[in-house]
Amino acid sequence: MPANHVHYYEGIGTNRQLIFDLPDNAPSLSGSQRELARLFDAPRFFALDDPLRLYLNFLVQELSLPRHAQGDLLAATFLGCLHSRLHVAPPPSRRLDLDGLDRFIQNNLEKRLTVADLASQACLSEAHFSECFREQTGVTPYQYLLRQRLAAARYWLTTSMLPLSEVAARTGFASQSALSHAFRRAFDYSPGQLRRNPQLSLSRNAPFLTPVAILRPTSQFSWICHQVPRF
């Protein structure tokens, strides 16, 4: 059952439930086991064959012991067996609504947005969303979000006299220092230098810049987003 999926349950007679509540970054879904996360891309029903039923009984008994420390390993083994039986195929590539994501980002730019927040807008798991996003845009969701923040920061720096701390707050950076660090890394000049010389934002020779078509900000930022940082 995928996270946030509405579902109902009714138990008739004597019932026992074993619930695997696995966050996207659970150890049992990491590394070589990452493919197991596809089990949660869509709701599904399945029946247990005799070997898997025996293992499940063992798993329940093992987890009931005091001080058990192998829960992740037991869960990974069970999910691996289930994955092989269900023949879970990679989902078809899905086109994301980048315009909708842009609106969501711009409307919440001052917040500490995460990849999980963006994935929820697309109704996808974080892993599936990140995969689709990279395939469609060529960058990670984090890089895309950072570019939006930097573009907005350049707008405020060149059109207002807001303190750098306020610019950082409005564009989702944790502090003025974090804004300055990201700025220098991306553009090779500081926010203060840009404020003293706004023409830096229009320079065709500015380092770490390249034309890009995937960043499509709202109209208030369009004039400064002909070029964005390459990471």
Side-chain angles (χ1 to χ4, degrees):
M1 188 67 62
N4 301 321
H5 185 86
V6 177
H7 61 282
Y8 303 92
Y9 169 79
E10 180 181 5
I12 301 175
T14 301
N15 288 270
R16 298 180 67 191
Q17 295 85 33
L18 176 63
I19 299 174
F20 293 92
D21 188 6
L22 298 173
D24 188 64
N25 61 350
S28 54
L29 298 178
S30 62
S32 61
Q33 305 281 52
R34 190 60 196 164
E35 184 66 19
L36 300 181
R38 295 200 184 279
L39 285 167
F40 304 97
D41 281 342
R44 63 185 79 244
F45 295 91
F46 56 88
L48 300 179
D49 54 32
D50 288 340
L52 200 55
R53 190 183 299 275
L54 288 173
Y55 178 73
L56 188 61
N57 288 334
F58 163 77
L59 190 155
V60 171
Q61 294 177 36
E62 190 71 12
L63 292 179
S64 65
L65 297 176
R67 297 181 180 178
H68 71 81
Q70 303 298 322
D72 282 336
L73 293 176
L74 294 171
T77 301
F78 177 79
L79 293 175
C81 294
L82 189 60
H83 184 276
S84 65
R85 285 161 169 76
L86 295 178
H87 304 290
V88 180
S93 179
R94 173 173 171 177
R95 299 297 295 178
L96 300 173
D97 178 12
L98 294 183
D99 289 327
L101 286 172
D102 284 342
R103 288 192 295 271
F104 175 76
I105 291 172
Q106 294 300 335
N107 289 335
N108 297 276
L109 200 60
E110 76 285 357
K111 300 177 181 177
R112 303 291 175 81
L113 293 176
T114 65
V115 176
D117 294 326
L118 300 182
S120 67
Q121 294 299 303
C123 299
L124 294 174
S125 69
E126 186 173 341
H128 191 185
F129 172 80
S130 296
E131 181 180 343
C132 292
F133 196 94
R134 285 194 300 269
E135 181 178 336
Q136 188 169 335
T137 68
V139 297
T140 67
Y142 171 77
Q143 289 171 328
Y144 188 87
L145 181 58
L146 181 58
R147 292 180 179 190
Q148 295 274 28
R149 296 195 190 285
L150 289 169
R154 288 173 71 173
Y155 169 80
W156 291 116
L157 288 168
T158 55
T159 63
S160 76
M161 292 305 296
L162 290 172
L164 292 184
S165 58
E166 178 65 18
V167 173
R170 290 192 179 197
T171 53
F173 288 96
S175 65
Q176 178 179 328
S177 176
L179 169 62
S180 297
H181 178 76
F183 230 80
R184 285 186 176 277
R185 183 178 179 184
F187 304 122
D188 205 28
Y189 54 78
S190 69
Q193 288 174 307
L194 175 62
R195 175 155 280 174
R196 290 189 295 271
N197 183 11
Q199 293 302 311
L200 285 173
S201 67
L202 304 177
S203 172
R204 292 289 177 178
N205 298 317
F208 304 106
L209 296 180
T210 185
V212 68
I214 63 166
L215 183 60
R216 295 170 296 170
T218 56
S219 58
Q220 65 174 327
F221 300 129
S222 60
W223 70 276
I224 62 170
C225 292
H226 300 302
Q227 294 185 317
V228 293
R230 175 170 63 244
F231 300 92

